[in-house]
Amino acid sequence: QVQLVESGGGLVQAGGSLGLSCAASGLTFLDYAMGWFRRAPGKEREFVATVDWSGKNTYYEDSVKGRFTISRDNAKNTVYLQMNSLKPEDTAVYYCAAYRFTSSIVTMSSREDEYDYWGQGTQVTVSS
């Protein structure tokens, strides 16, 4: 079955950096765009970043632009999220997700409801 397993969460001070990884198995990785979402305490889950199958095209939520970088290694079936200049408001459970794109035009998405598979999440806590 499909599994997405996140790792790399933890506690970091404001201004610090943290890198998340998500290893995918049970799917044809190149058929999927990958995304990162997060759920902060008391809030709805929100989009963070997405990368298309090639790794060449990315899209970010405004508040993380310039601070976070999403990338993927198709040889390792893994997607990454490098988070720099972290802020307390980045504190959340971070989820990776896989989106099976069916169009050659729309090959990634920021819409949660378009994603097919989800990881269990990893906690990121940024202290002030």
Side-chain angles (χ1 to χ4, degrees), residues 22-25 29 72-80:
C22 172
S25 61
F29 197 58
R72 64 190 288 164
D73 185 337
N74 288 334
K76 296 181 178 180
N77 283 12
T78 300
V79 62
Y80 305 95

Side-chain angles (χ1 to χ4, degrees), residues 8-20 66-69 81-87 90 124-127:
L11 174 64
V12 63
Q13 286 189 329
S17 298
L18 207 57
L20 305 182
R67 300 189 298 124
F68 290 11
T69 302
L81 185 68
Q82 179 62 40
M83 304 182 291
N84 299 328
S85 301
L86 282 161
K87 305 175 181 180
D90 295 318
V124 172
T125 303
V126 184
S127 64

Side-chain angles (χ1 to χ4, degrees), residues 43-105:
K43 294 188 177 181
E44 297 291 314
R45 188 158 57 185
E46 66 174 2
F47 167 75
V48 175
T50 184
V51 60
D52 76 350
W53 67 273
S54 72
K56 295 179 181 178
N57 298 294
T58 58
Y59 179 70
Y60 297 90
E61 192 270 330
D62 284 347
S63 70
V64 307
K65 282 181 183 176
R67 300 189 298 124
F68 290 11
T69 302
I70 188 171
S71 62
R72 64 190 288 164
D73 185 337
N74 288 334
K76 296 181 178 180
N77 283 12
T78 300
V79 62
Y80 305 95
L81 185 68
Q82 179 62 40
M83 304 182 291
N84 299 328
S85 301
L86 282 161
K87 305 175 181 180
E89 50 263 44
D90 295 318
T91 294
V93 177
Y94 283 72
Y95 301 87
C96 77
Y99 162 52
R100 178 68 163 92
F101 63 93
T102 57
S103 165
S104 61
I105 299 173

Side-chain angles (χ1 to χ4, degrees), residues 4-7 93-96 118-122:
L4 302 178
V5 180
E6 301 100 335
S7 60
V93 177
Y94 283 72
Y95 301 87
C96 77
W118 293 83
Q120 80 289 349
T122 186

